Amino acid sequence: MPSLESLRQLRVLVVHPADPDGDSIIRHLQGIGCQVEGMWPPPARLPDRVDVVFYLIDDQTRRSLPWFAGLPQAAIVAVVEHNSPDVLGLLSDCSPQAVVSKPADSFAILSSLILARSIFRYEDRLQNKLRKLDETIRSIRTVEKAKSILMKSKNIKEKEAYEHIRTHAMNRRLPIGKVASTIIDASDLIV
């Protein structure tokens, strides 16, 4: 669980009209010690350096959802009306990390803040792992292609081709994928 001090360092944007519900959310977040900014109407794009966004999700804000697309830059807490029938469809459009129903009390705000931040950080770690796996797969494909080129051009077996690439990579202190790319590029120039 995050410490109170780490929560106080969070930069939180509240995208909600300046009404009693919006003011209440801002007061609760300020009570926790977060650095809070309120904003209405919804911005065309998410401002830089925001850790968590409390965002009113309703039919009027549906048009502002494009900045939710893809990988969000901040944890998203959807703020919804308690008995709104369209809320489930709207929530699936923006995929928030947490949801708080209006009128929100301090415990709902705090628990949503902690949950959203935790899920966001977990999703970020997963995305980093996916990027690394994608790079690894691309490198493997590149090495396979380079091995094939060496096998044909030097009339050697697969194991020898791999050892050739590996030896050059070690001697030059380069990643094996980089050496394989160089072989492919050189082959493209010759052919």
Side-chain angles (χ1 to χ4, degrees):
M1 179 167 155
S3 69
L4 193 55
E5 190 59 40
S6 68
L7 293 176
R8 288 183 176 139
Q9 295 173 7
L10 292 177
R11 294 171 307 264
V12 181
L13 176 64
V14 178
V15 180
H16 194 288
D19 62 13
D21 288 325
D23 294 342
S24 173
I25 293 169
I26 289 172
R27 274 195 317 279
H28 288 308
L29 289 165
Q30 288 171 335
I32 294 167
C34 299
Q35 302 167 36
V36 186
E37 178 185 353
M39 186 177 287
W40 193 259
R45 81 179 195 81
L46 186 63
D48 294 333
R49 299 184 43 84
V50 172
D51 298 310
V52 182
V53 179
F54 279 73
Y55 192 95
L56 175 64
I57 302 294
D58 63 10
D59 286 329
Q60 292 178 350
T61 59
R62 179 186 290 257
R63 292 179 299 272
S64 304
L65 294 178
W67 56 264
F68 283 104
L71 298 175
Q73 301 167 302
I76 307 294
V77 178
V79 179
V80 297
E81 292 288 340
H82 181 65
N83 291 324
S84 174
D86 296 332
V87 74
L88 295 178
L90 294 169
L91 288 174
S92 70
D93 288 346
C94 68
S95 302
Q97 282 80 25
V99 178
V100 66
S101 180
K102 297 192 305 184
D105 61 28
S106 59
F107 180 76
I109 298 288
L110 177 61
S111 58
S112 294
L113 178 68
I114 291 170
L115 180 64
R117 189 71 177 137
S118 176
I119 290 172
F120 179 79
R121 291 169 71 192
Y122 175 72
E123 289 172 348
D124 191 49
R125 287 191 305 271
L126 287 179
Q127 287 300 322
N128 285 333
K129 286 181 182 180
L130 282 174
R131 277 190 286 279
K132 288 178 183 175
L133 284 172
D134 191 44
E135 288 172 18
T136 300
I137 290 169
R138 269 186 289 192
S139 179
I140 289 170
R141 287 180 181 151
T142 303
V143 170
E144 290 299 316
K145 187 173 181 180
K147 283 191 322 189
S148 176
I149 291 167
L150 289 176
M151 289 166 56
K152 288 177 187 171
S153 66
K154 293 186 175 271
N155 198 22
I156 58 177
K157 296 191 185 294
E158 183 177 359
K159 185 174 182 177
E160 292 173 274
Y162 178 76
E163 284 302 317
H164 180 77
I165 297 168
R166 185 173 164 270
T167 301
H168 280 308
M170 287 180 8
N171 289 343
R172 289 174 176 78
R173 295 184 182 176
L174 293 171
I176 195 165
K178 184 112 174 137
V179 171
S181 290
T182 304
I183 292 169
I184 293 168
D185 291 344
S187 162
D188 289 343
L189 287 175
I190 295 171
V191 176

